[in-house]
Structure formats: C-alpha cells, structure tokens
Amino acid sequence: MAKEPVRVLVTGAAGQIGYALVPMIARGVMLGPDQPVILHMLDIPPAAEALNGVKMELVDAAFPLLKGVVATTDVVEACTGVNVAVMVGGFPRKEGMERKDVMSKNVSIYKSQASALEKHAAANCKVLVVANPANTNALILKEFAPSIPEKNITCLTRLDHNRALGQISERLSIQVSDVKNVIIWGNHSSSQYPDVNHATVKTPAGEKPVRELVKDDEWLNAEFITTVQQRGAAIIKARKLSSALSAASSACDHIRDWVLGTPEGTWVSMGVYSDGSYNVPAGLIYSFPVTCQNGEWKIVQGLSIDEFSRKKLDLTADELSEEKALAYSCLS
C-alpha cells in the first residue's frame, strides 16, 4: 500500500542550500525511494519571486514522489502540519558585523520560527537546524518551543563528519564507503574536534583502525583536524560561494539516518541536546557520536577519551557555553 506523504519544511528555500536541497528531498534522497513527500518552502518576502521560480522548477521536474508544494513567505502556513523541518534560513554574518549583532538577528528569527513550529507543526516533528551558528540557533529554537521534545531538536554536524570521512578516504586512496565511525565533537565551527581514534576502515583482511593504516599521527593530530575545521572557508575561497551541495547532501544523510536508522556497528555525528555524557555540560546542543533506531537517536557511550581529545572536547564546549551566554544576553 502507498505510504502517506510526509510534509517536509525547508526554510530559506530560495537560497543556495535550499535550491540544492529541495530536489534531493523530492527525489527520495532524504526519506527513501518509496516515501512520498509534500514540500513546504519558506523564505523572506524579498525572495518571494525567486521562491516561486523554485516552485516552478519543482513542477517542471515532474518528481514522482512529490505530491505537493507549498511556497510561502508566511511562517504559519509554512509550519502547518510539517513532520520534518530543515531550518536553512538565517541571518549571515556580513563584513564589519560583530558576533553579537549576528546572534541577535538570529535569535529573533529562531524565536518566531520556534513558536510557529510549536503551535502548527505535526506532533513529533523532527527539527534539523543548518543555519549558523547552528548549535546555538537550535538551542534558541528549543527554548522557544518548549512543547517540542528536546530529543527532536538537532543541528547539522554531519557535513563535518562527511568531510572527515572524505579526508581519510583521500589520504588512503580508498572508497569513502569503506571508512566509518569518525566523530565530530562539539560546535559546528572551527573549534569542532574531528576525532579518528575509534574510526575504522574495511579492508580485505577485516576492519582496521584508521590510525594503524594512516601511520602518521602528526598529520592526524594537526593538518587533518584543521582541514576539516576550515573546509567551509576553503570552499568559499575556491567557489566564492559557501558550500551548498555538500551541506544539502549531508542534511539528507542526517534526516535519513535519524528516521530510517544507522547501519549496525556504525555511528554518525549529530548536534543534540547534551545530557552530560563525556563530561560535556548539560544544556548545550553539542555534536556527539550517535546511533539511530526507530526514529530515535542515542549517544554512543563508553568510548575512551585520551588527554589530547579531552582538551579538544572541553575547548569546543567552552565556545558553546560562551555562545549560549551571548544568545541569552540578546534576549534580555
């Protein structure tokens, strides 16, 4: 029997990431090849004409799984009945702007979108925040949508996770699908900690630790980490535009694994509400290794953390605590 369509909201849908993301959703990349979808696209009034152009293209592409499109600048209409919300819209930092200015703009955006989601989204709506500062935007959204369970509000660090997989596969000249269980700890910023201590590679002789195969701790503890941390800036330098294709693809990966589950023995990185695991302060949205089953994520427990890693985990937690304080100061 045909499945009921799932309503998926994309905010900032006329922007770069939105334009890359909506066809992926309509093609079944996010929720599976047999899951019909209805797309809800939201953008700001100045982008209304461009948004309508995206809607026209979605019609023109004749996606079999796409059962309807709502394109609107009205936040209530956009949020009504949605099962999945991908929050791509936000206020980008512009030249000469202080972090506090950007934060206060995003606080007001996420405050209004949070209350619309809370009042109008479907029960058990899953939320993924992509717009930066993603972790703190997600925290604000949680704050202003108290009836949405905290486990349903996440932020995107899968892009960083996938970047780390890509770097290892390039270094070892192997298929990226043979690398697994890297971890992104912390903030989706340059303070994040890409950790390969538990990562493995599938070889003809079975699974081997990444460190054993790379045989270069100096590279893994320095250049590898900074490459992943600063990959977004490197793409802006090369393209003169921020990464959109890879961000859209990893947003699909994040939701797909959350909804459909992670493969046995594999974990992924998601920004989730900290419960104090690994001595990370509770009450932050922090990236952890997680497994997913039956639409629920669970932090992987019991991984050993060496002294080098401990410092990195604490450093990114400190930055998130500062961001949280800054965001809360914008509320007063």
Side-chain angles (χ1 to χ4, degrees):
M1 215 171 98
K3 294 181 173 178
E4 278 295 300
V6 169
R7 291 180 181 270
V8 182
L9 166 66
V10 177
T11 72
Q16 263 224 102
I17 295 173
Y19 187 70
L21 178 59
V22 292
M24 292 183 188
I25 299 170
R27 207 174 265 293
V29 176
M30 179 179 276
L31 293 168
D34 61 346
Q35 178 57 66
V37 292
I38 295 170
L39 269 168
H40 288 225
M41 304 192 298
L42 175 70
D43 218 311
I44 54 175
E49 202 176 346
L51 186 66
N52 195 45
V54 177
K55 181 178 179 176
M56 288 159 70
E57 285 204 75
L58 286 167
V59 170
D60 294 351
F63 294 109
L65 289 172
L66 187 60
K67 302 303 179 191
V69 181
V70 176
T72 183
T73 59
D74 178 81
V75 68
V76 171
E77 186 186 3
C79 291
T80 299
V82 297
N83 309 100
V84 173
V86 186
M87 317 302 280
V88 180
F91 194 89
R93 189 169 181 175
K94 294 179 178 164
E95 218 174 324
M97 280 183 83
E98 291 298 319
R99 277 180 75 227
K100 174 137 191 189
D101 301 333
V102 187
M103 191 68 82
S104 90
K105 294 271 192 201
N106 279 298
V107 163
S108 65
I109 292 169
Y110 277 81
K111 198 173 159 180
S112 79
Q113 293 185 350
S115 48
L117 277 172
E118 178 166 61
K119 290 192 189 91
H120 305 286
N124 210 27
C125 175
K126 287 177 160 53
V127 182
L128 167 60
V129 177
V130 176
N132 287 321
N135 300 58
T136 301
N137 284 344
L139 196 61
I140 293 297
L141 196 144
K142 182 206 159 291
E143 201 63 33
F144 288 97
S147 74
I148 298 179
E150 59 199 30
K151 66 180 174 56
N152 282 24
I153 296 174
T154 64
C155 82
L156 186 72
T157 55
R158 183 61 175 270
L159 176 55
D160 311 295
H161 181 99
N162 288 350
R163 285 168 171 165
L165 294 175
Q167 288 304 304
I168 297 298
S169 83
E170 294 274 289
R171 179 78 177 193
L172 294 172
S173 301
I174 55 171
Q175 296 298 316
V176 73
S177 53
D178 288 338
V179 190
K180 69 174 189 180
N181 295 355
V182 298
I183 302 167
I184 303 298
W185 299 98
N187 199 0
H188 174 60
S189 75
S190 58
S191 78
Q192 64 176 256
Y193 172 43
D195 175 5
V196 297
N197 289 329
H198 308 278
T200 59
V201 173
K202 191 163 84 183
T203 74
E207 287 189 356
K208 302 274 185 201
V210 161
R211 278 198 186 272
E212 191 184 299
L213 293 177
V214 170
K215 296 187 180 69
D216 187 345
D217 283 352
E218 197 181 322
W219 180 76
L220 284 170
N221 291 345
E223 192 187 328
F224 162 75
I225 292 174
T226 53
T227 299
V228 176
Q229 287 173 333
Q230 293 164 16
R231 186 69 160 184
I235 286 166
I236 289 173
K237 192 163 181 272
R239 284 190 77 227
K240 312 295 178 270
L241 293 164
S242 60
S243 39
L245 177 162
S246 53
S249 180
S250 55
C252 288
D253 291 343
H254 174 113
I255 296 286
R256 187 183 62 247
D257 285 343
W258 188 5
V259 172
L260 302 177
T262 46
E264 187 69 35
T266 300
W267 62 66
V268 294
S269 302
M270 283 170 69
V272 299
Y273 197 64
S274 170
D275 60 358
S277 292
Y278 296 100
N279 293 331
V280 171
L284 295 176
I285 300 260
Y286 188 99
S287 181
F288 287 97
V290 301
T291 54
C292 304
Q293 205 178 357
N294 303 324
E296 308 268 328
W297 55 264
K298 201 165 84 185
I299 296 172
V300 176
Q301 298 294 343
L303 298 173
S304 58
I305 305 292
D306 62 18
E307 197 183 338
F308 176 84
S309 300
R310 183 72 259 165
K311 284 185 180 139
K312 299 276 191 198
L313 264 74
D314 292 344
L315 192 74
T316 189
D318 290 346
E319 183 184 63
L320 280 168
S321 296
E322 279 168 34
E323 273 189 24
K324 180 180 180 177
L326 186 61
Y328 281 49
S329 74
C330 297
L331 295 170
S332 48

